Amino acid sequence: PTLRRRRGFSLIELLIVIAIILIIITVAVPKFQKAQMFARDMGAQKAIQTIHQMEVQYQSQYGRYANSLAELGPPASGAPSASSADLIDSTLAGGIKGGYKYTLTGGNGGYVITAVPETFGTSGSRTWYSDQSMVIRYNSGPEPATASSPEVK
C-alpha cells in the first residue's frame, strides 16, 4: 500500500484549537480590563499630584492659586501669563485625560481638585478629591470624593 501524505489539519483539530483560544480569551479579557482601569486610576492620582506641583509653582509666580485648569495650561498664542501659565499640557488643561474628568476651582486661600471617571466602572473605579493641603482622597463608589473621604496611603 502506498502511504498518503497528509496535508493540513483535520476539522476536529482546528475546532479544538479554536476552543482553547476562546477559553484563554474569556479568562484574560476581564483581567486585562481590570488592569487598564487600575492604570487609569493611578494615572488620575498622578495627574492630581502634577496639578498640586503646578499650583505651587503658579502661586510662587503670580501670588495666588490658579482658579481653573485653563490658567495652568498653555497660552493660545504669545508668552505665558496668569491667564495661561503653560505649566500643564493642553489635554489636562482641557479637563479630560485618561478616562477622567478633572475640575479645578480656586479661591484666595486655596483650591480644590476633583477627578471623576468619564464612565464609572469602565474608565475608572474611584473618584478623587484634593485641595491645597495636598492630601489626596478617594471614594470607591460613583459618588464624588470629598474632604471627608479616606486618604490615599
Side-chain angles (χ1 to χ4, degrees):
T2 337
L3 291 175
R4 259 184 22 194
R5 280 192 120 177
R6 207 171 133 189
R7 294 183 181 212
F9 298 101
S10 71
L11 181 60
I12 298 295
E13 291 169 330
L14 290 174
L15 288 175
I16 291 171
V17 168
I18 290 171
I20 291 170
I21 290 171
L22 289 174
I23 290 169
I24 291 171
I25 288 173
T26 58
V27 170
V29 167
K31 290 182 187 287
F32 178 71
Q33 289 172 337
K34 283 183 183 180
Q36 273 188 322
M37 198 172 354
F38 179 77
R40 287 187 189 115
D41 287 343
M42 293 303 100
Q45 190 176 347
K46 292 297 180 189
I48 290 171
Q49 290 172 348
T50 298
I51 293 169
H52 280 308
Q53 292 169 349
M54 296 308 111
E55 277 284 15
V56 169
Q57 187 171 340
Y58 185 95
Q59 200 274 338
S60 71
Q61 287 178 344
Y62 300 106
R64 66 176 177 85
Y65 291 114
N67 293 320
S68 67
L69 290 170
E71 288 185 357
L72 294 175
S77 63
S81 65
S83 62
S84 52
D86 201 16
L87 297 173
I88 60 174
D89 64 45
S90 60
T91 308
L92 185 54
I96 298 177
K97 184 173 184 174
Y100 272 84
K101 293 179 184 178
Y102 299 88
T103 57
L104 171 66
T105 54
N108 292 337
Y111 59 91
V112 172
I113 306 165
T114 60
V116 295
E118 289 183 272
T119 308
F120 188 83
T122 303
S123 63
S125 63
R126 294 181 177 187
T127 58
W128 303 90
Y129 171 93
S130 194
D131 58 23
Q132 68 279 353
S133 69
M134 296 190 180
V135 174
I136 300 175
R137 300 178 180 279
Y138 69 94
N139 186 14
S140 296
E143 303 83 27
T146 64
S148 59
S149 298
E151 289 182 29
V152 173
K153 301 202 187 238

